[in-house]
Amino acid sequence: KSGLDVATLPINISKFGNTSSASIPLLITDFINAKLNATPLTLGLIGFGVGLSWSTGLITLPQAVSFSILISHVDLLFCDDIFLEKKILITGCTSGIGQEVAFLLSSLGCSLLLLGRNKDKLNQLISKLSFPDRHSQLVVDLSVPNALFELKSDIAQYGPLDGIFHSAGVALVKPTKLITSDDINKVLSPSIYASLDISRLACSSKIISPNSSIVFMSSVSSILGTSCMSLYSASKGAIDS
């Protein structure tokens, strides 16, 4: 309807997921880094969020030194084989940040144990990963209390793990006065119950090896609330605590 050429509207949410306030800076550095090295640029910025909030701006960026995206230069941070044959469990891997982490770690030689609710989506993801034969999956609904912990024996057969990346979460957009008990369980359970289950699993040497790492994915929403997303903010606040 705007008549704008789609080619002039870069989008990279499929690459980095929803990074909230970092989305536009990531887009700038990802798409126009090379142009910024050559000449100043005038950009029209348009952003919108929940609750029908929106903002626009017109800025001129001066010619600048090269930006770099951390995820694109992971080889500069680690030796070549640091992730080779490491076993990593990932939740929330069929979309967003969890999916991008799965792509990255598989390309670095990791063997992944992927957890999700939808078997078809898990199969589709594995088929797109580097070295698909190295990876396994477990179907589980993390909104169900103890669901992850009850898979202890299955995970132990795959382990011991070298790391866990917990990225599963539900972002519900709904005014507080309309929130139901089912909504509360749906949003809070993947963050609270699943995080506690992961912590309980990590107490077993059969599940996770010494000197391994566990990453719980949070969000800026944990400290900066957004209209109609109180439950999501609460779930990420629980992760932070």
Side-chain angles (χ1 to χ4, degrees), residues 28-189:
I28 291 173
T29 56
D30 192 28
F31 275 89
I32 62 173
N33 180 28
K35 292 182 179 179
L36 275 178
N37 292 330
T39 182
L41 294 176
T42 298
L43 305 176
L45 306 181
I46 303 173
F48 68 93
V50 299
L52 300 181
S53 59
W54 62 277
S55 181
T56 63
L58 187 65
I59 64 171
T60 298
L61 296 178
Q63 183 176 348
V65 296
S66 177
F67 293 99
S68 61
I69 301 299
L70 184 61
I71 200 170
S72 299
H73 297 278
V74 68
D75 56 313
L76 302 180
L77 303 177
F78 307 111
C79 58
D80 292 340
D81 61 351
I82 191 170
F83 285 109
L84 187 62
E85 298 184 356
K86 297 295 185 181
K87 298 178 180 179
I88 309 294
L89 182 152
I90 304 178
T91 72
C93 57
T94 56
S95 64
I97 295 175
Q99 185 179 78
E100 293 303 320
V101 169
F103 284 130
L104 176 61
L105 291 179
S106 69
S107 71
L108 295 173
C110 285
S111 296
L112 304 179
L113 178 56
L114 305 171
L115 273 59
R117 292 175 296 179
N118 190 305
K119 184 177 181 65
D120 291 336
K121 288 184 177 181
L122 290 171
N123 286 331
Q124 186 178 32
L125 172 61
I126 289 176
S127 69
K128 296 179 180 179
L129 295 177
S130 302
F131 315 108
D133 293 340
R134 292 184 181 179
H135 314 303
S136 303
Q137 59 164 280
L138 288 174
V139 178
V140 58
D141 185 353
L142 296 181
S143 67
V144 178
N146 292 318
L148 181 55
F149 190 75
E150 289 174 356
L151 292 175
K152 181 176 180 179
S153 60
D154 297 295
I155 297 173
Q157 291 178 9
Y158 185 84
L161 299 167
D162 298 294
I164 298 175
F165 183 73
H166 179 41
S167 182
V170 176
L172 176 70
V173 181
K174 200 171 191 179
T176 302
K177 64 181 180 181
L178 299 180
I179 290 174
T180 66
S181 57
D182 288 340
D183 293 331
I184 295 173
N185 182 69
K186 178 181 178 181
V187 177
L188 296 187
S189 291

Side-chain angles (χ1 to χ4, degrees), residues 148 166 189-200 216 238-239:
L148 181 55
H166 179 41
S189 291
S191 291
I192 298 176
Y193 292 141
S195 296
L196 291 173
D197 279 352
I198 289 171
S199 299
R200 294 163 66 196
F216 295 96
I239 290 287

